[in-house]
Amino acid sequence: MNAPETNETKRICVKKKSALPLWVCTAVWILAGLFYPMYRLVDIAIVAVISLAAWLIAWLAAPEYTQYIEAPRPTSGNQDVDALCMQLESDASHIRSVAELLPSAKDSIAPRLRSIGFTLDKIAKNLQEDPSDLRDCRRLANYYLPVMQKLCDKYVFLIRQSTEDTDAAKNRTELKAKIEDAFAGIDSALKKQLDALYQNDSLDISTDIDVLKQMLRQDGLSE
């Protein structure tokens, strides 16, 4: 059973003016051509001034409208990295959508799933900025997240069951408890993975700084 995914595409709000001024200006020239003989340059100049005045009045009176356009997606320059980032973000969106399907009685599980989705978004952002983490993140996406998706869908299925059979209800309760424990473990593991990625970034930065200092000393540009 698949939970519906939420659309979290980032959009930019753009304010635009109506096309009314252009239509008013065009109408002035058409009417002038029909009813006002423009045989001299001065006649053309008069119509041009009138059309400009009409355009300005219409521009001031024309209402603004708001348009939302999809923001350009940031790219790392590596197609494999960008594809994996999109996959991680899609998985995060799916997991958060599962949290929205849970009844209020399961408030303790919904925040856990939102936390997992939030961590996945951070991992995707880190990967976008540091493509060298591709190997670690690919293993996460290929091996762990498919199991996570399956558990999410199974959990929602169990929550929606309403059998009065005592044995079936007991088995369902035990399965839900196991899945909840798995959610807690996955949440912790993802946070550790994110910390490891941050540590890798810190080591890379420290190494770059050490190399830079050594080069400066070699060139006699530092004390």
Side-chain angles (χ1 to χ4, degrees):
M1 186 189 96
N2 293 326
E5 295 187 6
T6 56
N7 183 8
E8 297 186 358
T9 302
K10 294 182 178 179
R11 298 189 299 170
I12 299 175
C13 177
V14 178
K15 290 185 177 181
K16 293 185 176 182
K17 276 283 190 179
S18 168
L20 178 63
L22 179 61
W23 290 109
V24 169
C25 184
T26 302
V28 169
W29 281 99
I30 292 175
L31 292 174
L34 292 174
F35 302 106
Y36 182 72
M38 293 183 289
Y39 301 125
R40 301 170 300 172
L41 287 177
V42 65
D43 298 328
I44 297 175
I46 291 172
V47 175
V49 171
I50 295 174
S51 67
L52 179 60
W55 179 89
L56 181 59
I57 294 172
W59 186 83
L60 292 174
E64 279 189 343
Y65 67 94
T66 300
Q67 181 179 12
Y68 290 92
I69 61 175
E70 185 175 341
R73 182 180 177 83
T75 176
S76 65
N78 184 316
Q79 291 184 352
D80 292 336
V81 169
D82 293 340
L84 185 54
C85 287
M86 291 182 66
Q87 180 183 345
L88 291 172
E89 291 171 359
S90 176
D91 288 341
S93 176
H94 177 82
I95 291 170
R96 282 193 295 268
S97 71
V98 171
E100 300 304 321
L101 295 176
L102 299 181
S104 57
K106 290 296 175 183
D107 284 345
S108 61
I109 301 303
R112 177 78 70 185
L113 294 180
R114 294 190 189 99
S115 174
I116 291 173
F118 184 65
T119 303
L120 282 177
D121 282 334
K122 282 191 171 183
I123 290 175
K125 183 178 180 180
N126 181 276
L127 176 60
Q128 192 86 51
E129 297 173 351
D130 185 7
S132 65
D133 295 328
L134 176 61
R135 181 178 179 181
D136 293 335
C137 293
R138 178 176 284 163
R139 180 176 178 83
L140 169 71
N142 291 342
Y143 294 98
Y144 302 124
L145 290 184
V147 177
M148 177 66 191
Q149 298 276 18
K150 184 177 180 180
L151 290 177
C152 283
D153 294 342
K154 186 64 176 178
Y155 191 79
V156 173
F157 174 77
L158 291 173
I159 287 292
R160 289 180 172 178
Q161 296 303 301
S162 59
T163 176
E164 296 181 358
D165 188 304
T166 304
D167 292 336
K170 181 180 179 181
N171 291 335
R172 189 171 70 249
T173 301
E174 291 176 353
L175 280 176
K176 288 190 293 183
K178 289 180 179 179
I179 294 176
E180 290 169 5
D181 288 341
F183 287 161
I186 292 172
D187 188 22
S188 176
L190 289 178
K191 289 176 179 177
K192 289 180 180 179
Q193 178 69 61
L194 181 61
D195 289 340
L197 296 179
Y198 285 153
Q199 289 176 3
N200 291 340
D201 293 343
S202 179
L203 289 174
D204 291 342
I205 292 173
S206 297
T207 300
D208 291 340
I209 292 175
D210 291 340
V211 172
L212 178 60
K213 288 181 178 179
Q214 184 177 357
M215 293 176 63
L216 290 173
R217 285 195 298 267
Q218 291 175 352
D219 294 339
L221 298 176
S222 66
E223 296 181 358

